[in-house]
């Protein structure tokens, strides 16, 4: 508490200008004097009611601090509150580390670390500029919006001390001057204002005494209009890596992949209590963690300089936009830059996985991957080139089988001549590489010998094909008496060989690159607005074998918006002879959108009306063209009776015909076998367009390609499939 010295100055904190003291000079306030005194009613008071209010108002309660961090948005600072869970962690660490060294507190699900002494917040998994952190108690309203801005921690302490004196002594209308010479006046507990001094300059100098428009001052975070998140569950059930598409911006607002994945994660957190409430109450689930994977910045680190030299100066913005976005597709189809992209994506996912395990040592969940646009194609090519356990064993055994086979190859010179690589014969002779040594060579050893990339690929492709030929011919025979084992071994090798040939259909036309291996096996691969089908067709793939599946990933789902111009279907490549619609993704509220139901209802009604009208016209025409009965010769009574029965039967048959076409509409379509790419389940899932989007498909085409980050239906599909692998279902199946 502040006190006044003999010289008339105040110690122990700032005291407002004009504060009158009840203390004698040089004497501290006693405990009795610190207790609030009973105020005498004024002449205008109404008696004891105001006395009770004054006594209640004189009770001082310390303010509850809350922690905020600063984020720069559009060159403006924006103070965002930590969740209640994180703020409590930071406050406890702050109270316990006053006399300790630097203390690091993980926040926001472990994705950010806060260094308390430095008051800085750092990103853990990706590169991001550090942000300032404050322990906030007092706020004032900003100039250009209604957001409240926190005061500095030191000045907030001075405000709190002044407020305590005002409440204790019941003396208000105190003035404080901030370090920036701004005036704060405490009129009463509910009215506190902040003035920005406006200096008016003229020929005689400036006058800083003028004051601008007053702004509201609030004490405590509970008195300001700010939404404080509850925090995230501590338990992490599953990890999903998300790879972006072309360009540095991932949505219509030109936000980065980190911001878009943050939205995706927030939507998933809001979906869990709505659709997995029972599992949450039984503490069966926690949450799913989504981490972004950025490859664009690494690719454009060096190539942008080369592009800048050849880019024309006209239409500057459009050309730079094309260089940053559209050219990524061409980069991926280039051998050099494709290698850079796949290396970056694979190494980044492996790095993030190891870092995640380091920070979450108790994590026992699975891993899935998701890709948007071109990112889904990159992941698909990576997954098709992963090595399963059996393939790795075959890879280790293949060189040995080739080396021990006496008739496996001709001489090295003959092989190089067949491959039109005769100029490298001297290199192999210098290194003393014969046919057996050539069979044991890997890409790394060929590179160390100085063989360029193109010839290396030809030699390795030849060796792989020769190995497959040896396996198919069954040149590795068992000894007599081991016919059963030899037959079983040949069956296993034939099965592996069949799998390899199915894989060759998918990898046909891929850019020649050394695809790195992931250090984990993804459970599910999700593609958003993916052009995989188009790229496979352009590469010459006519059909995907129905028995083909990704070597290390058993699940594959493709989600797309009906107006997405980049998305192409995948199922017709597996079942090319059957025309069928993609699966309609259920709405997260449990029904179709109203405009789609209305459209289907009108279509069904028009079909029924058409069928009924045609049936009525057919009956009328038949009755009109039917021969009149009097014109027919008289027949026997039995014949007449038989004719009437036949006529009645024909009329019944005619009346029943118009109803036949309406019957197939109600029948459910037969199940479609779309192969093993998704374990026998459907792959293509289409979102339901919004009502406003159905007015014009072209206006919302771009939005359709960038809508997945905030799509509840997309997020719910991910959560549903991920938790089904754990045997956990949603509370209620969506229709």
């Amino acid at each position: 508490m502040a006190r006044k010295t003999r010289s008339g100055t105040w110690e122990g904190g700032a005291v407002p200008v004009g504060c009158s003291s009840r203390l004698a000079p040089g004497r501290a306030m006693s405990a009795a004097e610190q207790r609030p005194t009973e105020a005498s009613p004024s002449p205008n008071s109404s008696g004891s009611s105001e006395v009770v209010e004054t006594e209640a108002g004189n009770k001082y309660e310390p303010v509850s601090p809350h922690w905020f961090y600063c984020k720069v948005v559009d060159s403006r600072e924006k103070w965002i509150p930590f969740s209640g869970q994180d703020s409590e962690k930071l406050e406890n660490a702050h109270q316990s580390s006053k006399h300790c060294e630097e203390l690091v507190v993980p926040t926001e699900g472990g994705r950010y670390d806060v260094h308390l002494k430095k008051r800085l917040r750092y990103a853990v998994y990706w590169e991001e500029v550090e942000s300032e952190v404050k322990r906030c108690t007092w706020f004032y309203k900003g100039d250009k919006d209604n957001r409240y801005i926190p005061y500095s921690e030191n000045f907030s302490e001075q405000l709190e001390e002044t407020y305590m004196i005002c409440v204790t002594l019941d003396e208000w209308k105190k003035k404080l001057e901030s370090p920036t010479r701004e005036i704060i006046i405490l009129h009463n507990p509910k009215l506190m204002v902040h003035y920005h001094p406006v200096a008016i300059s003229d020929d005689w100098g400036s006058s800083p005494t003028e004051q601008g428009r007053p702004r509201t001052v609030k004490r405590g975070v509970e008195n300001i209009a700010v939404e404080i998140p509850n925090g995230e569950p501590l338990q992490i059930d599953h990890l999903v890596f998300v790879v972006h598409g072309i360009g540095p911006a991932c949505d219509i607002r030109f936000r980065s992949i980190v911001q878009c994945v943050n939205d995706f994660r927030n939507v998933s957190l809001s979906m869990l209590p709505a659709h997995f409430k029972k599992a949450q109450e039984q503490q069966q689930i926690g949450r799913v963690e989504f981490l972004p994977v950025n490859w664009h910045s690494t690719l454009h680190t060096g190539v942008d300089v080369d592009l800048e030299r050849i880019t024309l100066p006209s239409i500057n913005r459009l050309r730079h936009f094309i260089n940053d976005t559209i050219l990524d597709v061409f980069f991926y189809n280039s051998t050099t830059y494709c290698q850079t992209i796949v290396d970056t994506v694979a190494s980044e996912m492996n790095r993030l996985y190891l870092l995640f395990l380091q920070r979450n040592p108790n994590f026992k969940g699975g891993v899935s991957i998701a890709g948007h646009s071109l990112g889904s194609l990159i992941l698909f090519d990576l997954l098709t080139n992963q090595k399963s356990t059996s393939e790795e064993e075959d890879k280790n055994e293949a060189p040995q089988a080739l080396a021990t086979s006496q008739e496996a190859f001709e001489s090295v010179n003959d092989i190089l001549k067949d491959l039109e690589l005769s100029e490298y014969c001297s290199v192999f002779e210098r290194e003393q590489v014969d046919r057996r040594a050539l069979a044991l060579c890997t890409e790394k050893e060929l590179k160390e010998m100085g063989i360029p990339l193109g010839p290396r690929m030809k030699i390795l492709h030849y060796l792989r094909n020769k190995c497959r030929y040896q396996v198919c011919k069954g040149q590795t025979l068992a000894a007599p008496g081991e016919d059963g084992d030899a037959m079983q071994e040949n069956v296993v090798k034939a099965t592996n060989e069949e799998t390899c040939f199915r894989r060759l259909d998918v990898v046909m036309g891929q850019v020649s690159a050394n695809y790195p291996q992931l250090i984990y096996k993804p459970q599910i691969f999700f593609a958003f607005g993916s052009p995989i089908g188009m790229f496979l067709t352009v590469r010459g793939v006519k059909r995907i074998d129905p028995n083909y599946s990704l070597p290390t990933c058993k699940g594959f789902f493709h989600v797309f918006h009906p107006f997405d111009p980049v998305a192409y279907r995948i199922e017709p490549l597996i079942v090319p002879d059957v025309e069928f619609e993609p699966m309609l993704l259920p709405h997260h509220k449990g029904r179709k959108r109203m405009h789609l139901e209305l459209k289907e209802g009108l279509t069904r009604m028009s079909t029924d009306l058409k069928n009924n009208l045609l049936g009525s016209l057919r009956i009328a025409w038949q009755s009109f063209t039917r021969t009149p009965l009097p014109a027919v010769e008289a027949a026997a009574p039995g014949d007449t009776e038989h004719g009437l029965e036949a006529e009645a039967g024909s009329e019944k048959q005619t009346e029943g015909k118009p109803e036949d076409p309406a019957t197939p509409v109600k029948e459910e379509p037969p199940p479609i076998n779309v192969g093993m790419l998704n374990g026998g389940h459907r792959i293509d899932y289409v979102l339901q367009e919004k009502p406003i989007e159905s007015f014009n498909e072209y206006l919302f085409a771009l939005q359709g390609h960038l809508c997945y980050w905030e799509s509840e239906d997309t997020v719910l599909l991910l959560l549903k499939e991920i938790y089904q692998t754990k045997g956990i279902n949603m509370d209620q199946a969506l229709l």
Side-chain angles (χ1 to χ4, degrees), residues 674-693:
V674 292
M676 298 305 297
L677 191 58
N678 190 24
H681 303 289
R682 295 293 300 271
I683 299 172
D684 291 334
Y685 285 80
V686 60
L687 294 169
Q688 302 180 35
E689 72 271 15
K690 297 178 181 178
I692 192 174
E693 295 174 344

Side-chain angles (χ1 to χ4, degrees), residues 452-463:
L453 177 62
R456 283 204 311 270
M457 293 296 103
K458 287 185 178 181
I459 295 172
L460 292 173
H461 185 261
Y462 178 85
L463 295 177

Side-chain angles (χ1 to χ4, degrees), residues 295-325:
W295 54 266
H296 182 271
S297 57
T298 304
L299 172 66
H300 286 260
T301 300
V303 72
D304 283 350
V305 179
D306 300 330
L307 287 174
E308 188 67 27
R309 291 199 300 264
I310 61 175
T311 302
L312 298 180
S314 59
I315 52 175
N316 188 37
R317 293 186 178 180
L318 178 59
R319 294 186 189 277
H320 278 82
F321 175 77
I322 293 175
N323 290 347
D324 277 345
T325 55

Side-chain angles (χ1 to χ4, degrees), residues 4-6 23-28:
K4 201 172 184 180
T5 63
R6 294 179 180 272
L23 300 179
R27 186 173 67 86

Side-chain angles (χ1 to χ4, degrees), residues 205-221:
S206 62
S207 173
T209 58
E210 298 291 336
Q211 295 177 342
R213 181 175 60 88
R215 287 178 289 175
T216 307
V217 175
K218 294 293 184 181
R219 175 179 179 266
V221 70

